[in-house]
Amino acid sequence: MTSGTSGCARHDLVIKQQEKIYYVEANLIPLKREIAMGDGERVNALSAIWGCTDSKTLNPLLKKNYRDLFYKKDASGVVQKIDSLINADPSLKTSCS
């Protein structure tokens, strides 16, 4: 038997990704509505889950990409699209972790 931290960082990333998927799945319908409006309690919480320091930057981006976010996507697909939108935006890439 061994102990140590080998692979812990990877494990933490998987857990964080699962949290994102679970949140989107559990709140999908109200998230769709709030993202379409560009603001709301759940979409602001989504920003926090993504580690974004400023939801005022992320929310308009999500609203602008509403169709791409939700068209024929399950919660996992929505999470992947949000991740790719954040990574493609220089200011969000540095302000979201």
Side-chain angles (χ1 to χ4, degrees):
M1 184 164 132
T2 62
S3 64
T5 58
S6 178
C8 284
R10 178 85 173 127
H11 180 68
D12 290 345
L13 291 174
V14 171
I15 289 172
K16 186 68 175 169
Q17 199 68 2
Q18 287 299 97
E19 287 175 359
K20 291 175 182 178
I21 293 168
Y22 177 76
Y23 182 79
V24 170
E25 191 171 69
N27 295 284
L28 190 60
I29 291 174
L31 273 173
K32 283 181 175 183
R33 182 176 48 251
E34 290 181 11
I35 288 173
M37 294 185 315
D39 194 27
E41 181 180 328
R42 287 177 186 87
V43 73
N44 289 336
L46 182 138
S47 285
I49 290 168
W50 259 259
C52 299
T53 56
D54 183 12
S55 63
K56 302 291 184 230
T57 306
L58 180 60
N59 293 359
L61 180 68
L62 297 178
K63 181 178 181 178
K64 179 181 173 188
N65 289 279
Y66 180 89
R67 182 174 168 82
D68 289 338
L69 275 173
F70 296 110
Y71 186 70
K72 293 188 179 183
K73 289 187 178 74
D74 61 3
S76 178
V78 172
V79 167
Q80 289 174 358
K81 184 62 180 175
I82 293 171
D83 285 343
S84 71
L85 289 170
I86 288 171
N87 287 327
D89 184 286
S91 68
L92 286 173
K93 191 172 183 177
T94 58
S95 69
C96 300
S97 57

